[in-house]
Amino acid sequence: MSDGTVNEAISLIQKLYTSRINQADVIATQKQLQAIQRGPNGWDLVLVLLQHSDPNCRFFGALTVSVRINIEWLDQNRILDIASLIAASIKRPDVPVVTIKLADAFSTLIAKYPDVIPNPLFCLLWSIGDEKSHFSTEDCEIANENAQNPSAISAMLTGLAPESLHLFFFICKVFAEDLDNNAPSAEFTEMLNNSCTVMEQLLATPVTSPMDWIGLLQAWAILIRTHLTDSSILRLREFIPTALNYLKDDKAFKTVASSLSDLIDQVPTLFNNDLIASTISTCLPLVDAILKEAEYESDVLTAWIELLLSATSYSMETTLMMPFFQDVLEALFKVTATSPIENEYKVLSQTVEFWNNFCDTTDELLQEGSPHAPFCKSIIQRSIATLTPRAIIPSIDAFNSWNSDEKDQFNGFRRELCDYLEFTLTPLGDETLSYFTQMAANSLADQTPTRLEAYICFINGISYSLPAKSAEVAQLLSVFWNDSFISKMDASRAVPFIANTFVRLISNYEQYIALSADYEFIQKLMSVLFSFLTEKLLALPASKAIQSLCLAYRNRLHKMLPSLMSVISNDIFSTLDALVRERIVSGLTTIVNAEPNIPTRVAGFLQILNLIQLHTQNLSRINWNDAENALIMLDAFCSAVNDDSDEANETENGINVDDDQAFHGKVYSYEDKIAIKAKILAITRDIVFDRCGPCNDPTVVEHATSIIKAGLYDTSVEDSLLSITPLEAISFIEVGTSTNFSETGYLYIRLAIAVLGNLKTTGEPENSPIIQQLFSTVTERTASTDASNPDNIFTIIDFFRAIILNYPNVFFESIYVGDIANFIIFYIGYPELFVKKSALMFWQALLTNKDSVKEGLFAPFIESIGYSLCLSVVKLILGQALRSELVRVSELYKRLIFKFPIQMKQWLPQAVDELQPRNISQQAIDQFITKSLVLRGGAKTTEIVKDIWLQARGQTSDYI
């Protein structure tokens, strides 16, 4: 390798690792280095880089070794040379990243060629302890002969200098970790078996670093668990007492405990009950000493609890029988109750995980009749009593002083605790409810708001697992349904996180309020919630609670409508977020819908619509976001009015409802209907056309047309208040399609298709002026259709197909029939697949729906456009169609020949001649025409179409 190439590589490496360069330069530099790395002189570069003074160059040299091993297939001599090179390089003192990368390269080499160096760790140990590398063929044979010679290996280990022993520990750990995911083979298994003796002797060697030792034990045990027999794992069991001895070292405790925890979880056969007992008992003195200190690392306690969690999971029943397990629990309770670390919730979160696991693993022990049940239940009860006080915020000032990480830790602990409390409902049942009933009562009487907030938070947490309308739950919640609760809730607005907890209680348990609260309480509760809407941080959760209460208690809350409407002035309403406004509109509409007095109900509807209308009119010019939000509110109103579900109407939350008065006989006057419909259409038109100007936003128009579609007259709902006539919908379409058809036309045409379906359902005759008006409105837009918007084309063609299927004579009697036909023929060859599919489906519908066609009109129509249609279809058959379209094209082609056999004798040869296909022989063309005409659209026509399409595509077998 030339000096210039070497210097270039070194310069690029130093640029990549030491210079501040932008991302584009990083990518370019990496590509240049990869080219050199993988080039013919890559190994020469390795030799230079591994001896360079710059550690970045040595790192890249070690990386290149791995790359070259992966991309090349090496012979035996080359493998041994590379192993020697790695061994020589790895012995030299270096920065950790270089040593790790060299160890990775060694692992890669052995994993790829395990049969060439069958005892690699022996050879590497020999090389580290000697001046030269020992990876020759003869050295490998000696290593293989000594594979099961522990005394020889022990002697070599004893002779290593401390720094060399530390290095060998480090390399062996990397080696074990790298090989864990290797695919098994006979040669690989033999290599691992040969390496076992080296590893076992290494683990038996006294070391100064317990962290090195436990890391190696963990990595090796996990590796052989996957690839070797249990006997190999059991031989490692003798080292567990050494690991437990290292647990007594307070500096090593965290690392050793974490590794032991992983070993219990991942290699459980390494342990037995005695070792588990020893593991648990060994930790106790250290934990006791830790708890006596004024300050300590929380990670140490976290590691202990993690180890305790793994050890008890091994066999909970056996653990419970251990004579010292009560001491363990006492230590755990002490950690939970008296942890001296301020704002330290990681330890508490780990404790909750232990108790979750305790409940899970003692499931059988908690069953009726189990001798362990009383003890286990008492332990769970005590855990609840110990954990819940820790989830109380010390004070509002303290909470406000916490940084975001501290708040996240606290909230995470709370969430995990609530999950645990929910879990305890299974083993404890009513006992948990009784406990919270007492705590809720105490906290409500307490003057400390954070205590009350905490217990409400816990009650919220268990809400999803409580039995519906349970008397016990009602008793628990009845604590809150009083003036004291209302007073504290009202006062909580100054502290949003507390107020939020109050509001969630209402949302979670609205179904229970009526079981234990009177109308006066609900009225007060709604007043407080409505007052929360003016608070920025409370408006969203408050609106959700309001919506829930309105739905649940609509038969009682309609009496409050005047006072509630007076609270929501337009000035306040305009300041609310979009979702809040939507929920309020939905909730108020639900209340109004339950009003038994029809005139009062209609007045309420108009009042809500006026609120929406005033809100939009207060804006000097509605932007599209405002428009969308207003339409969402209107949609929420329409949905609430249309919700005539009788569920919960007969008996709602224990309250008898007079069905005849409240929910049946909704007889609205014609004037009422007109007033409501006029308001809805006025708001919608105002938002979409006038206030926004010509609306180009499809999202806004989609909401508007959705409201109109939802309100179309439905014969199944005789007295539907929101029924919108087809004529009103057509008027809306006319205005909409005349403003900005290019961007939003397809949405109005979709509405036109819905109107057409509505007219067909209601039995509108073909000669109806409404049908003619709708058809003319869409037809007039066809000429101005923007070809750049395929959605417009697609929906227009779909509309005409709907006309063909439902009112065919309207189509054929139109003076525009020829223009429409040519318009759709043109789009048979359109590049957008869904447009092309729609055009093909139109023609198939037209040619199939023969019974609905007046032959007198149909014949001249097809004579005028027949050849153009034939030409477009044949063009697809002769190569332009995609494979996925071929079946549909074949069906249309068959229908065309079947319907017009005489005309096709002229049209088909003329079309083929005009197209002049290049890839098909004249003989094949003639056969295609002849067979098509002879079969007259029979089933075998599909095969003929496929064969000619394949030839046009330059293929000779079934299409790909």
Side-chain angles (χ1 to χ4, degrees):
M1 176 175 264
S2 67
D3 291 343
T5 305
V6 171
N7 291 335
E8 179 190 4
I10 292 171
S11 176
L12 288 170
I13 292 166
Q14 291 172 337
K15 177 183 178 182
L16 182 65
Y17 290 115
T18 60
S19 303
R20 292 183 178 179
I21 57 177
N22 60 42
Q23 187 62 29
D25 285 344
V26 168
I27 294 171
T29 304
Q30 286 174 334
K31 285 183 178 179
Q32 289 176 276
L33 283 170
Q34 286 171 1
I36 297 172
Q37 193 179 50
R38 294 167 179 265
N41 299 315
W43 284 112
D44 295 334
L45 178 65
V46 165
L47 296 175
V48 175
L49 293 179
L50 287 178
Q51 299 182 54
H52 199 277
S53 59
D54 185 348
N56 291 316
C57 291
R58 296 197 298 277
F59 172 81
F60 192 81
L63 174 64
T64 304
V65 174
S66 291
V67 171
R68 301 295 302 202
I69 292 169
N70 279 318
I71 65 174
E72 294 183 34
W73 193 256
L74 307 168
D75 60 30
Q76 180 173 333
N77 290 334
R78 192 71 180 129
I79 293 165
L80 297 176
D81 288 343
I82 294 170
S84 296
L85 172 65
I86 294 171
S89 302
I90 215 167
K91 286 193 294 184
R92 290 193 290 267
D94 213 324
V95 294
V97 290
V98 175
T99 305
I100 290 172
K101 191 51 64 178
L102 285 167
D104 287 340
F106 183 72
S107 304
T108 303
L109 184 70
I110 301 305
K112 192 172 182 179
Y113 307 103
D115 56 324
V116 176
I117 310 175
N119 196 355
L121 294 183
F122 187 99
C123 294
L124 185 61
L125 172 60
W126 190 1
S127 302
I128 289 175
D130 201 1
E131 293 182 357
K132 66 169 190 170
S133 296
H134 289 278
F135 282 95
S136 65
T137 304
E138 295 79 10
D139 291 335
C140 288
E141 289 175 359
I142 294 171
N144 215 25
E145 292 169 1
N146 285 277
Q148 306 302 325
N149 187 351
S151 58
I153 298 168
S154 179
M156 285 195 289
L157 287 167
T158 304
L160 288 180
E163 61 273 12
S164 298
L165 182 62
H166 174 75
L167 173 65
F168 191 57
F169 260 102
F170 183 80
I171 295 168
C172 287
K173 177 177 177 289
V174 174
F175 180 81
E177 290 171 342
D178 286 349
L179 296 184
D180 187 33
N181 295 320
N182 204 69
S185 66
E187 294 83 2
F188 183 79
T189 301
E190 182 185 356
M191 181 273 296
L192 284 184
N193 273 318
N194 291 336
S195 301
C196 277
T197 307
V198 176
M199 285 291 195
E200 289 163 12
Q201 290 302 307
L202 182 59
L203 289 168
T205 303
V207 293
T208 56
S209 172
M211 281 77 88
D212 286 349
W213 186 92
I214 193 66
L216 178 62
L217 175 64
Q218 181 182 350
W220 185 248
I222 290 172
L223 173 63
I224 64 175
R225 168 209 61 183
T226 307
H227 297 284
L228 299 183
T229 61
D230 284 347
S231 61
S232 301
I233 296 173
L234 292 175
R235 290 205 304 272
L236 293 180
R237 187 178 282 178
E238 65 181 84
F239 298 109
I240 298 301
T242 304
L244 299 182
N245 192 49
Y246 287 140
L247 271 179
K248 300 172 185 177
D249 184 341
D250 56 352
K251 293 181 180 177
F253 178 85
K254 183 169 63 175
T255 302
V256 176
S258 181
S259 292
L260 280 172
S261 177
D262 289 341
L263 282 172
I264 295 171
D265 292 339
Q266 299 180 52
V267 197
T269 52
L270 194 57
F271 295 81
N272 56 28
N273 288 335
D274 289 341
L275 288 174
I276 291 294
S278 297
T279 301
I280 295 173
S281 62
T282 301
C283 299
L284 274 176
L286 179 64
V287 173
D288 287 338
I290 286 173
L291 292 174
K292 291 176 183 176
E293 295 179 10
E295 295 183 1
Y296 56 86
E297 291 185 33
S298 63
D299 289 346
V300 174
L301 277 182
T302 303
W304 169 63
I305 298 170
E306 182 185 355
L307 178 57
L308 186 61
L309 179 63
S310 298
T312 52
S313 298
Y314 186 86
S315 173
M316 181 57 76
E317 188 168 7
T318 303
T319 305
L320 289 173
M321 301 302 293
M322 293 175 184
F324 52 82
F325 190 62
Q326 186 64 47
D327 296 333
V328 173
L329 293 176
E330 291 300 328
L332 195 62
F333 287 133
K334 190 174 181 181
V335 167
T336 306
T338 62
S339 170
I341 305 177
E342 187 178 359
N343 306 340
E344 180 53 77
Y345 291 97
K346 285 192 296 184
V347 174
L348 293 172
S349 291
Q350 193 74 22
T351 307
V352 173
E353 186 178 351
F354 171 85
W355 289 115
N356 261 317
N357 184 70
F358 182 88
C359 279
D360 191 28
T361 53
T362 57
D363 185 44
E364 292 184 6
L365 305 180
L366 286 161
Q367 301 300 317
E368 283 293 328
S370 167
H372 300 291
F375 174 72
C376 290
K377 285 186 177 182
S378 67
I379 290 297
I380 294 172
Q381 289 168 337
R382 188 176 173 191
S383 72
I384 294 173
T386 310
L387 282 165
T388 48
R390 297 307 308 275
I392 300 173
I393 296 168
S395 68
I396 295 170
D397 290 340
F399 182 80
N400 291 334
S401 69
W402 291 351
N403 60 37
S404 58
D405 287 342
E406 289 170 332
K407 288 180 179 178
D408 286 344
Q409 275 193 39
F410 175 78
N411 290 328
F413 162 58
R414 263 201 174 179
R415 283 192 300 271
E416 290 157 6
L417 178 55
C418 285
D419 289 342
Y420 172 59
L421 297 175
E422 192 174 1
F423 201 9
T424 64
L425 289 172
T426 300
L428 298 184
D430 293 346
E431 297 170 34
T432 297
L433 295 181
S434 298
Y435 173 80
F436 280 114
T437 301
Q438 184 60 52
M439 290 300 104
N442 293 346
S443 59
L444 193 61
D446 198 329
Q447 295 304 309
T448 308
T450 54
R451 178 179 170 82
L452 175 60
E453 186 272 341
Y455 280 98
I456 293 178
C457 178
F458 304 146
I459 293 168
N460 284 335
I462 63 175
S463 62
Y464 297 108
S465 293
L466 294 175
K469 298 188 178 178
S470 154
E472 291 79 11
V473 180
Q475 182 182 356
L476 163 63
L477 296 167
S478 65
V479 171
F480 298 105
W481 312 146
N482 51 53
D483 287 346
S484 177
F485 175 79
I486 291 289
S487 174
K488 288 183 183 296
M489 183 175 178
D490 193 27
S492 70
R493 71 178 66 248
V495 189
F497 76 84
I498 293 181
N500 265 313
T501 305
F502 277 93
V503 173
R504 286 202 307 274
L505 180 71
I506 308 304
S507 298
N508 290 342
Y509 291 102
E510 43 82 13
Q511 61 179 317
Y512 293 100
I513 295 177
L515 293 176
S516 50
D518 55 21
Y519 171 70
E520 186 179 353
F521 172 78
I522 297 175
Q523 190 175 22
K524 291 176 180 177
L525 184 60
M526 285 293 281
S527 297
V528 173
L529 287 171
F530 266 79
S531 70
F532 278 5
L533 294 176
T534 59
E535 304 290 338
K536 188 70 175 176
L537 296 176
L538 300 178
L540 197 61
S543 67
K544 182 180 179 182
I546 289 169
Q547 188 179 26
S548 297
L549 286 174
C550 288
L551 184 62
Y553 307 109
R554 52 192 171 197
N555 296 318
R556 304 172 76 177
L557 290 173
H558 65 81
K559 301 173 187 176
M560 286 186 65
L561 186 65
S563 61
L564 294 178
M565 288 296 294
S566 66
V567 173
I568 300 296
S569 66
N570 190 54
D571 291 340
I572 294 174
F573 194 72
S574 298
T575 65
L576 303 178
D577 290 339
L579 181 56
V580 176
R581 291 198 299 264
E582 178 193 350
R583 287 172 174 172
I584 296 303
V585 166
S586 176
L588 292 176
T589 308
T590 301
I591 296 174
V592 175
N593 208 25
E595 168 60 52
N597 182 277
I598 298 301
T600 306
R601 187 187 305 175
V602 172
F605 287 151
L606 290 171
Q607 195 174 1
I608 294 169
L609 289 172
N610 282 335
L611 190 65
I612 299 172
Q613 191 171 36
L614 283 171
H615 167 66
T616 58
Q617 289 176 347
N618 275 356
L619 302 167
S620 59
R621 181 179 176 84
I622 301 179
N623 61 39
W624 290 340
N625 280 337
D626 290 331
E628 182 181 358
N629 293 337
L631 288 170
I632 287 173
M633 282 190 286
L634 195 58
D635 211 354
F637 171 84
C638 294
S639 299
V641 172
N642 283 330
D643 182 15
D644 288 337
S645 170
D646 286 332
E647 183 180 356
N649 289 341
E650 295 178 4
T651 302
E652 186 169 30
N653 298 317
I655 304 167
N656 291 324
V657 178
D658 184 347
D659 288 346
D660 290 334
Q661 185 183 27
F663 285 95
H664 293 291
K666 290 184 181 177
V667 182
Y668 300 105
S669 69
Y670 177 76
E671 290 76 13
D672 289 341
K673 292 181 182 181
I674 290 297
I676 296 293
K677 287 192 296 182
K679 185 69 73 174
I680 291 173
L681 285 168
I683 294 172
T684 307
R685 284 199 176 97
D686 180 51
I687 294 169
V688 179
F689 305 136
D690 301 333
R691 311 287 290 167
C692 281
C695 188
N696 296 327
D697 187 351
T699 307
V700 174
V701 177
E702 187 167 15
H703 280 296
T705 53
S706 173
I707 290 168
I708 303 299
K709 275 192 285 187
L712 282 172
Y713 177 66
D714 185 353
T715 55
S716 65
V717 185
E718 186 174 348
D719 292 312
S720 174
L721 183 61
L722 296 179
S723 59
I724 294 184
T725 66
L727 200 57
E728 289 170 320
I730 292 170
S731 172
F732 190 81
I733 294 167
E734 287 175 342
V735 177
T737 53
S738 65
T739 54
N740 191 2
F741 191 81
S742 174
E743 295 292 330
T744 58
Y746 66 97
L747 294 165
Y748 292 104
I749 304 302
R750 284 181 191 168
L751 177 56
I753 295 171
V755 173
L756 193 65
N758 179 268
L759 291 169
K760 184 69 174 178
T761 302
T762 56
E764 195 73 23
E766 278 196 282
N767 59 358
S768 166
I770 296 178
I771 301 284
Q772 295 292 340
Q773 183 178 351
L774 182 63
F775 180 78
S776 299
T777 299
V778 177
T779 303
E780 288 169 7
R781 304 294 174 250
T782 304
S784 62
T785 300
D786 184 358
S788 66
N789 189 339
D791 286 322
N792 286 348
I793 301 164
F794 169 78
T795 48
I796 283 179
I797 295 173
D798 260 13
F799 173 81
F800 288 128
R801 181 161 67 92
I803 286 285
I804 287 293
L805 292 173
N806 295 289
Y807 297 103
N809 291 334
V810 173
F811 175 81
F812 289 112
E813 291 173 356
S814 168
I815 60 173
Y816 301 110
V817 62
D819 294 333
I820 296 170
N822 287 317
F823 170 84
I824 301 175
I825 287 171
F826 173 80
Y827 286 106
I828 286 178
Y830 197 71
E832 291 287 350
L833 296 184
F834 67 96
V835 173
K836 191 188 300 183
K837 177 182 175 181
S838 181
L840 291 169
M841 289 174 68
F842 168 85
W843 286 110
Q844 195 166 347
L846 186 144
L847 296 178
T848 303
N849 199 14
K850 60 181 180 180
D851 294 336
S852 303
V853 174
K854 290 182 179 177
E855 293 297 336
L857 295 172
F858 185 66
F861 162 73
I862 203 67
E863 285 293 341
S864 66
I865 57 90
Y867 175 68
S868 297
L869 176 60
C870 175
L871 180 67
S872 295
V873 173
V874 172
K875 188 183 293 185
L876 293 173
I877 293 171
L878 296 182
Q880 279 199 3
L882 298 177
R883 171 186 171 179
S884 60
E885 301 168 330
L886 204 54
V887 172
R888 196 175 297 280
V889 172
S890 297
E891 290 302 313
L892 178 55
Y893 181 64
K894 288 192 295 184
R895 178 58 56 181
L896 198 58
I897 297 174
F898 177 76
K899 288 282 292 182
F900 310 106
I902 296 173
Q903 292 92 328
M904 284 295 286
K905 287 182 180 180
Q906 176 187 348
W907 295 342
L908 183 56
Q910 185 180 344
V912 172
D913 185 57
E914 182 176 336
L915 293 171
Q916 295 184 350
R918 298 180 180 179
N919 298 335
I920 312 172
S921 66
Q922 187 59 46
Q923 181 182 3
I925 290 290
D926 293 341
Q927 288 179 353
F928 166 67
I929 294 172
T930 303
K931 289 181 180 179
S932 294
L933 296 173
V934 168
L935 291 171
R936 291 190 61 174
K940 291 187 177 180
T941 306
T942 302
E943 293 298 320
I944 295 169
V945 169
K946 184 179 75 172
D947 290 341
I948 200 72
W949 181 83
L950 286 168
Q951 292 183 57
R953 288 294 184 102
Q955 301 171 25
T956 56
S957 59
D958 198 4
Y959 46 95
I960 300 170

